[in-house]
Amino acid sequence: MNRQSNPGDRESKACEVCGRPFTNRKRWSGRGQWDEVRYCSQKCRSEARRIRRASERG
C-alpha cells in the first residue's frame, strides 16, 4: 500500500508577496505552524522584509 498522500489532497494557500500557490509541508503541519506560514520561499520572505522597510522609511 502506498503511504504517500496525493499532492492534490493537501491544503494550499497563496504567497503574500508573489501570489504563487504553495502546499502544506509535513514539517509545518507536524509542528502546528501551517497557520503562521505566509511566504512560499526564503526569497519572498526577504522581499517582504525589504518592502516593509521601504514603506516605513517614506
Side-chain angles (χ1 to χ4, degrees):
M1 179 165 226
N2 189 357
R3 299 183 93 197
Q4 292 182 337
S5 64
N6 184 1
D9 294 341
R10 291 189 226 150
E11 294 179 85
S12 66
K13 60 172 101 173
C15 174
E16 291 185 7
V17 175
C18 67
R20 188 172 130 202
F22 62 102
T23 57
N24 193 352
R25 294 176 59 186
K26 183 178 179 182
R27 179 175 73 188
W28 295 328
S29 62
R31 296 178 183 170
Q33 296 175 328
W34 176 240
D35 293 333
E36 300 170 14
V37 177
R38 298 167 55 186
Y39 311 108
C40 66
S41 64
Q42 186 64 37
K43 182 179 178 181
C44 282
R45 180 185 299 276
S46 62
E47 181 68 14
R49 182 179 289 152
R50 187 186 69 75
I51 292 169
R52 192 169 48 241
R53 284 182 187 161
S55 68
E56 289 173 356
R57 290 182 184 162

